[in-house]
Amino acid sequence: MNKQTIRAIFSRFQAANTSPTTELIYQNPFELLISVILSAQATDISVNKATAKLFPVANTPEKILRLGETQLKEYIKTIGLFNSKAANIIKTCQLLITEYDSNVPETREALETLPGVGRKTANVILNTCFGQPTIAVDTHIFRVANRIGLAKGTTPLAVETQLLKVIPAEFLHDAHHWLILHGRYTCMARKPHCATCLINDLCEYPFKTVTC
């Protein structure tokens, strides 16, 4: 895919949605961190339902530690892998208090020391909370990037690396939100909505269901 096509794709995304953001509901970096940890292999909708009850009770590292792992599980038990996520959240809260003065760190290296936080989660925090031009390659972005010909790769890191190279700088901050939303609502896994896709004439997917 050439530079002109890539610029056209993101220009259209920008025109359609000038301020894209995560669909997770949060009020501060700590709430987003907990939400993203919970969102692994879970939907944003399910996470938002759980945190709507959790955060009014405990939305700081100290409050979650006082709540304790057993009670934390009661709030998040509707989310997949809630046992391991609860354990990681407790450990993460302990580290935030002892190592980072209860603040969410602003570097990838520091974020990735937190239990339950990998590269994708760190990228979400760096981008959404701290404005850094990172791309968190989840299943949607991985699928969309490969499918439309934007970035080809067999691993999330390979796709992330390519995207950072080919996406024009002025679009980088919002790029991963646009791509996630596109994958979630238009370029879906089983049956992409090609007929209503705003980039269907630019996409290189060989099995498009419309003629461009």
Side-chain angles (χ1 to χ4, degrees):
M1 186 174 284
N2 61 46
K3 293 181 179 180
Q4 291 77 13
T5 300
I6 293 171
R7 180 171 291 279
I9 285 172
F10 285 97
S11 293
R12 291 185 191 180
F13 284 152
Q14 185 179 61
N17 186 352
T18 57
S19 302
T21 190
T22 179
E23 293 185 315
L24 293 168
I25 298 172
Y26 70 99
Q27 299 297 322
N28 55 56
F30 178 74
E31 288 188 1
L32 181 61
L33 174 63
I34 298 305
S35 294
V36 180
I37 291 173
L38 291 173
S39 72
Q41 299 182 46
T43 66
D44 287 359
I45 292 173
S46 68
V47 172
N48 288 336
K49 286 181 179 179
T51 57
K53 296 178 180 179
L54 172 64
F55 289 156
V57 175
N59 68 340
T60 67
E62 291 83 0
K63 288 179 180 179
I64 285 186
L65 285 185
R66 285 197 295 270
L67 189 66
E69 187 172 334
T70 300
Q71 283 188 274
L72 175 59
K73 288 179 183 180
E74 287 299 308
Y75 284 97
I76 66 172
K77 63 184 179 182
T78 56
I79 298 174
L81 306 175
F82 72 92
N83 284 313
S84 60
K85 290 176 181 178
N88 283 334
I89 288 171
I90 292 296
K91 293 174 184 175
T92 284
C93 289
Q94 291 169 336
L95 273 177
L96 289 175
I97 292 169
T98 59
E99 301 294 330
Y100 302 106
D101 197 27
S102 297
N103 295 312
V104 176
E106 299 184 26
T107 68
R108 182 193 310 284
E109 294 75 17
L111 284 166
E112 290 185 3
T113 67
L114 302 174
V117 176
R119 185 178 183 88
K120 183 183 75 173
T121 298
N123 280 344
V124 172
I125 302 301
L126 292 172
N127 179 275
T128 306
C129 290
F130 304 123
Q132 297 187 29
T134 59
I135 296 179
V137 179
D138 67 351
T139 56
H140 296 300
I141 292 184
F142 186 80
R143 177 180 69 255
V144 169
N146 275 283
R147 177 183 277 170
I148 72 176
L150 184 60
K152 298 288 187 179
T154 58
T155 66
L157 181 57
V159 169
E160 177 189 335
T161 301
Q162 289 186 54
L163 289 174
L164 290 171
K165 289 180 180 178
V166 303
I167 296 173
E170 65 265 35
F171 300 121
L172 268 178
H173 177 263
D174 294 323
H176 99 260
H177 291 303
W178 284 320
L179 292 171
I180 287 173
L181 294 171
H182 189 64
R184 186 172 289 166
Y185 298 111
T186 302
C187 196
M188 302 167 78
R190 294 185 178 180
K191 191 176 181 181
H193 298 164
C194 300
T196 58
C197 175
L198 78 167
I199 61 165
N200 58 28
D201 58 320
L202 304 174
C203 169
E204 296 179 358
Y205 184 46
F207 305 110
K208 284 183 284 191
T209 54
V210 294
T211 302
C212 300

